[in-house]
Amino acid sequence: RKEVEQDPGPFNVPEGATVAFNCTYSNSASQSFFWYRQDCRKEPKLLMSVYSSGNEDGRFTAQLNRASQYISLLIRDSKLSDSATYLCVVNYNNYGQNFVFGPGTRLSVLP
Amino acid sequence: DTAVSQTPKYLVTQMGNDKSIKCEQNLGHDTMYWYKQDSKKFLKIMFSYNNKELIINETVPNRFSPKSPDKAHLNLHINSLELGDSAVYFCASSSRPDNEQFFGPGTRLTVL
């Protein structure tokens, strides 16, 4: 089983739609979690950290379920500019050696 | 001001050559990283360097050698380049190993 798994997509959604991505991880010792966004031919950029109690940043909501070992990202009221690949990142806190990126989920928001 | 910068942005070279990629961060971070993103878009860590301690990913061939002249710089030297080394190489930094990482713009390496 891969360390971090994501549905590669693509998810094609109309503007204004709500879309959710899930990410599962295999190492129960994982300590910190993040969602990154990567635009085509660009570097990954931090979208948000994921906290145990769940957190929200504008139209974006992240949730963590430690018991089932998954994290989720919900995007409400999708914009064209949300089109990108969303990378789930899991860190089990071993001097950065285990900052593991998922393969990414590609999102296309259509007009 | 660019937080994490890399040079060159593009690198095209022949098999067997030796090349270097430079990375600098002005964030005052203690930890720096090199990642490889291949054609399938998987992003995999190659090295991390924390307060002068280098952590090597054992799956990386020893043709790859990181060098850190100081805390703000982590360069990557590659010997005897192979076709399979073609990829985008990203440098990143973080304030400490378990914190979020900030990435450079990437170096697109093509080996012919």
Side-chain angles (χ1 to χ4, degrees):
Chain A
R1 183 181 172 187
K2 293 179 181 174
E3 291 187 89
V4 180
E5 295 192 73
Q6 296 180 252
D7 182 342
F11 284 60
N12 298 317
V13 303
E15 268 188 291
T18 295
V19 62
F21 309 135
N22 279 341
C23 165
T24 58
Y25 59 94
S26 59
N27 192 321
S28 59
S30 299
Q31 302 258 349
S32 51
F33 308 87
F34 307 91
W35 282 102
Y36 277 71
R37 166 195 172 129
Q38 186 172 23
D39 292 290
C40 189
R41 301 178 75 87
K42 297 286 190 180
E43 72 272 22
K45 291 186 177 177
L46 178 69
L47 181 65
M48 58 197 303
S49 302
V50 186
Y51 303 125
S52 296
S53 55
N55 48 302
E56 187 174 310
D57 183 2
R59 298 182 293 109
F60 300 84
T61 301
Q63 297 279 352
L64 167 63
N65 185 319
R66 284 191 184 271
S68 300
Q69 295 182 202
Y70 77 84
I71 67 174
S72 64
L73 177 68
L74 181 77
I75 306 175
R76 290 181 298 278
D77 188 23
S78 300
K79 311 291 184 192
L80 295 176
S81 57
D82 294 334
S83 296
T85 297
Y86 290 83
L87 303 167
C88 166
V89 184
V90 174
N91 182 23
Y92 41 101
N93 200 18
N94 185 14
Y95 273 118
Q97 183 68 5
N98 294 311
F99 208 83
V100 180
F101 280 76
T105 297
R106 188 169 168 194
L107 171 67
S108 290
V109 181
L110 307 172
Chain B
D1 280 346
T2 304
V4 183
S5 59
Q6 294 178 229
T7 54
K9 191 169 183 180
Y10 299 96
L11 185 53
V12 181
T13 189
Q14 300 286 333
M15 275 177 57
N17 284 351
D18 302 339
K19 290 293 178 185
S20 292
I21 307 171
K22 296 185 176 182
C23 177
E24 177 181 0
Q25 55 96 1
N26 62 7
L27 297 167
H29 287 167
D30 287 339
T31 312
M32 295 184 73
Y33 313 82
W34 277 109
Y35 286 86
K36 178 180 180 180
Q37 188 169 42
D38 60 24
S39 57
K40 294 183 179 179
K41 306 300 183 186
F42 286 105
L43 194 63
K44 290 191 176 177
I45 192 165
M46 301 175 70
F47 303 102
S48 60
Y49 209 103
N50 181 56
N51 280 328
K52 301 183 181 180
E53 180 184 356
L54 177 64
I55 299 167
I56 298 173
N57 185 324
E58 60 186 25
T59 64
V60 178
N62 58 15
R63 298 181 295 104
F64 290 79
S65 55
K67 286 184 169 47
S68 181
D70 55 58
K71 206 171 70 167
H73 296 83
L74 182 63
N75 304 324
L76 183 65
H77 189 74
I78 315 169
N79 289 326
S80 302
L81 279 156
E82 300 177 356
L83 294 177
D85 297 333
S86 296
V88 181
Y89 292 83
F90 287 103
C91 175
S93 74
S94 64
S95 55
R96 62 177 203 231
D98 58 342
N99 273 8
E100 60 268 21
Q101 298 180 10
F102 296 86
F103 284 77
T107 296
R108 188 170 295 272
L109 171 65
T110 302
V111 182
L112 304 174

